[in-house]
Amino acid sequence: MTSNSPFPAESGDELARYIDHTLLAPDASQADVLRLCKEAAEYHFKAVCINPVWVETAKKALLGTGVLTCTVVGFPLGTHNTDVKVFEARGATMDGADEVDMVINIASARALDKAALVSDISAVAEVVHEGDSLLKVIIETAMLSDDEKVLACQAALEAGADFVKTSTGFNGGGATTQDVALMRKTVGAEMGVKASGGVRTREKALEMIEAGASRIGTSSGIAIVTGAVGTSSY
């Protein structure tokens, strides 16, 4: 950890407010989701991030806690048609999602087709914002070159998204400080940057924040704020 860390060693609660406490396993049960919500409330995390089927459950469990409910759209491949992503996003906000993390069409980024990316993202952004929710755009950095990452971030900014996010955690690789710094440089101070995938320790979380992350997506949130080492794959 560098000496100019934004948090002293004892300020775990401040660090917790950066964390989206995440459970996206396909076999997660209602009991698992309720446990996640209880932990998020106990540790004062910023949000829980769960699959769409659990949005209503999480929203009710988190009522009055100040913890936000986040879900995913077009997850984890990003290959859904735009109208399907829009349908998912609308349903999520109607169920109570405060934030929606959508996956871009990665092939469009690889083809440097910015117009296609803007069209896809802006359609989802419109319905998410109609529901007074925020949109995070997952660009899947491990699958893109630096030029493609920059293009995807520019498209998200142009399309009116609120955040760019590194990774799903399901398609190889995860967040790196280099990618977070590149994303922050590209979007400036206008957007949030969420580092997700492989952030399992306090030191790594602080490195991501120092690189420019304004949110951390992880299932190792408790380990991060208590100084342990997370064992989760996400």
Side-chain angles (χ1 to χ4, degrees), residues 114-127:
K114 184 179 177 183
L117 290 171
V118 171
S119 177
D120 188 46
I121 298 166
S122 61
V124 177
E126 182 177 352
V127 298

Side-chain angles (χ1 to χ4, degrees), residues 27-43:
D27 60 345
S29 67
Q30 183 180 52
D32 294 330
V33 171
L34 291 174
R35 186 181 310 112
L36 186 85
C37 293
K38 182 178 179 181
E39 292 168 350
E42 178 180 353
Y43 288 93

Side-chain angles (χ1 to χ4, degrees), residues 23-130:
L23 178 62
L24 295 169
D27 60 345
S29 67
Q30 183 180 52
D32 294 330
V33 171
L34 291 174
R35 186 181 310 112
L36 186 85
C37 293
K38 182 178 179 181
E39 292 168 350
E42 178 180 353
Y43 288 93
H44 308 292
F45 293 134
K46 181 67 176 182
V48 299
C49 187
I50 36 79
N51 282 309
V53 69
W54 298 118
V55 169
E56 286 187 282
T57 298
K59 187 71 173 184
K60 291 176 183 176
L62 294 169
L63 187 65
T65 66
V67 179
L68 302 177
T69 300
C70 173
T71 193
V72 290
V73 161
F75 194 86
L77 300 179
T79 51
H80 301 62
N81 290 330
T82 298
D83 57 354
V84 175
K85 293 179 182 179
V86 167
F87 182 84
E88 275 192 293
R90 182 177 289 113
T93 59
M94 290 176 66
D95 285 346
D98 302 294
E99 299 181 345
V100 172
D101 293 10
M102 72 166 285
V103 188
I104 63 165
N105 185 318
I106 298 162
S108 294
R110 295 287 296 271
L112 298 178
D113 190 345
K114 184 179 177 183
L117 290 171
V118 171
S119 177
D120 188 46
I121 298 166
S122 61
V124 177
E126 182 177 352
V127 298
V128 170
H129 292 155
E130 284 175 357

Side-chain angles (χ1 to χ4, degrees), residues 51-225:
N51 282 309
V53 69
W54 298 118
V55 169
E56 286 187 282
T57 298
K59 187 71 173 184
K60 291 176 183 176
L62 294 169
L63 187 65
T65 66
V67 179
L68 302 177
T69 300
C70 173
T71 193
V72 290
V73 161
F75 194 86
L77 300 179
T79 51
H80 301 62
N81 290 330
T82 298
D83 57 354
V84 175
K85 293 179 182 179
V86 167
F87 182 84
E88 275 192 293
R90 182 177 289 113
T93 59
M94 290 176 66
D95 285 346
D98 302 294
E99 299 181 345
V100 172
D101 293 10
M102 72 166 285
V103 188
I104 63 165
N105 185 318
I106 298 162
S108 294
R110 295 287 296 271
L112 298 178
D113 190 345
K114 184 179 177 183
L117 290 171
V118 171
S119 177
D120 188 46
I121 298 166
S122 61
V124 177
E126 182 177 352
V127 298
V128 170
H129 292 155
E130 284 175 357
D132 294 322
S133 302
L134 297 182
L135 178 65
K136 307 192 201 87
V137 176
I138 305 170
I139 68 170
E140 204 66 285
T141 50
M143 300 183 72
L144 302 179
S145 69
D146 282 356
D147 286 345
E148 292 159 358
K149 294 167 196 173
V150 168
L151 182 87
C153 288
Q154 291 172 338
L157 180 61
E158 185 175 328
D162 303 288
F163 276 75
V164 285
K165 175 178 170 180
T166 58
S167 320
T168 62
F170 283 74
N171 292 317
T176 68
T177 54
Q178 292 85 356
D179 283 339
V180 168
L182 178 63
M183 293 164 72
R184 174 54 69 199
K185 180 180 179 181
T186 302
V187 303
E190 297 181 55
M191 298 180 73
V193 175
K194 179 174 173 179
S196 295
V199 184
R200 303 186 186 95
T201 66
R202 179 183 179 83
E203 181 178 25
K204 181 63 70 173
L206 292 173
E207 288 175 2
M208 295 297 171
I209 293 168
E210 290 170 0
S214 46
R215 197 79 66 86
I216 305 292
T218 180
S219 52
S220 298
I222 295 173
I224 288 170
V225 299

